[in-house]
Amino acid sequence: PLILSDGSLTGIYGPAYKIDFCSNLQWINDEETFHHSQMIDHEKNILIGGSKQKSKYVKKYSLKDYHDDSIIKINTDGKIIFNKSVMEILIENKIIHTNTFNNKLIDPIHLNDIEPALSDTEYWKKGDVFLSIRTQSAIIHYRPSNNKVLNYITGPFFEQHDIDIISDKEISIFNNNNTVIDNEYSEILIYNFETRNFRKQFNDQLKKENFKTISEGLSHIFNDGALMVEEQNHGRIILFNNKGEKEWEFVNKDKNGNIGPINWSRIIEDELFIEKFKSLVENKECTN
């Protein structure tokens, strides 16, 4: 779920919906099949992946069961205000050709994260988005305002999941590392737009913890350099401090020892938001 400043939250998977602080349903949007992440952009709208609407290229070929993932922007009232096919973006930017539709791959994109740029830097503008497309093992730096792909990033990562902007020139990439060799561990990679180089974050510590998730998973680098990682397939979250020392570990295990998966854990660092939310809880007035 995505918690908003008034204590309401939005949820997805299939339809998108919103409930208020007292758990009253505010709206449901089932125009699309919404999936994976939810992120707030610079205009306080919500970016979500979708896969129901078909682009003009997919409609032309009438492909059944074809996954045509799209970037969707909805406002906090649940109205879709932007919907753009990722396959359409790649074709129109001459990165992928229409003959992609002639193979047997029905999920050629698999959009699993949309990371919005909230400010201008030398390397991106406010309103740009970074897209993680799992099947292509690529990160797309896309500008919706002019429909341009500015960077198509590939490198030492495979079937990645989760992108975060961590400075004015760097992004972090959660590398599931599902390659055919040297694939024992998942990794956290940092890509620097100035140097065009990659580096690994706390890689020895992740190996020591035998950290590996085949699918999903995420990372969060704190303002002070600490790192949280989520191992979705094994229901585990680990927090390392900025020295690389393990502070704590959580395993989603019930009293019988059964482990359940976890996904899209969310860290809130905004202290003002936290204090406001605590106040909402302490002064909660609900009739239901």
Side-chain angles (χ1 to χ4, degrees), residues 78-107:
K79 305 298 182 183
I80 294 176
I81 55 179
F82 180 82
N83 192 346
K84 180 69 174 176
S85 158
V86 179
M87 180 62 76
E88 204 168 85
I89 291 168
L90 296 178
I91 290 172
E92 290 167 353
N93 282 272
K94 297 180 172 52
I95 294 171
I96 287 181
H97 301 285
T98 53
N99 61 10
T100 302
F101 300 123
N102 294 329
N103 62 30
K104 297 180 181 179
L105 191 63
I106 65 168
D107 188 16

Side-chain angles (χ1 to χ4, degrees), residues 235-250:
R236 182 169 62 152
I237 299 172
I238 305 174
L239 178 71
F240 300 97
N241 64 25
N242 56 14
K243 298 178 182 178
E245 301 163 339
K246 185 166 76 170
E247 292 278 352
W248 53 260
E249 174 181 288
F250 167 78

Side-chain angles (χ1 to χ4, degrees), residues 1-4 7-13 17 19 36-39 46 263-268:
L2 179 64
I3 302 175
L4 304 178
S8 62
L9 64 82
T10 60
I12 55 170
Y13 266 96
Y17 61 88
I19 62 175
H36 285 88
S37 65
Q38 298 182 87
M39 295 296 292
I46 305 170
N263 57 357
W264 293 112
S265 304
R266 196 181 294 276
I267 291 289
I268 300 173

Side-chain angles (χ1 to χ4, degrees), residues 20-26 280 283-288:
D20 67 16
F21 187 67
C22 294
S23 299
N24 299 304
L25 182 64
Q26 299 296 291
L280 285 172
N283 299 291
K284 184 175 181 179
E285 294 181 1
C286 298
T287 57
N288 53 342

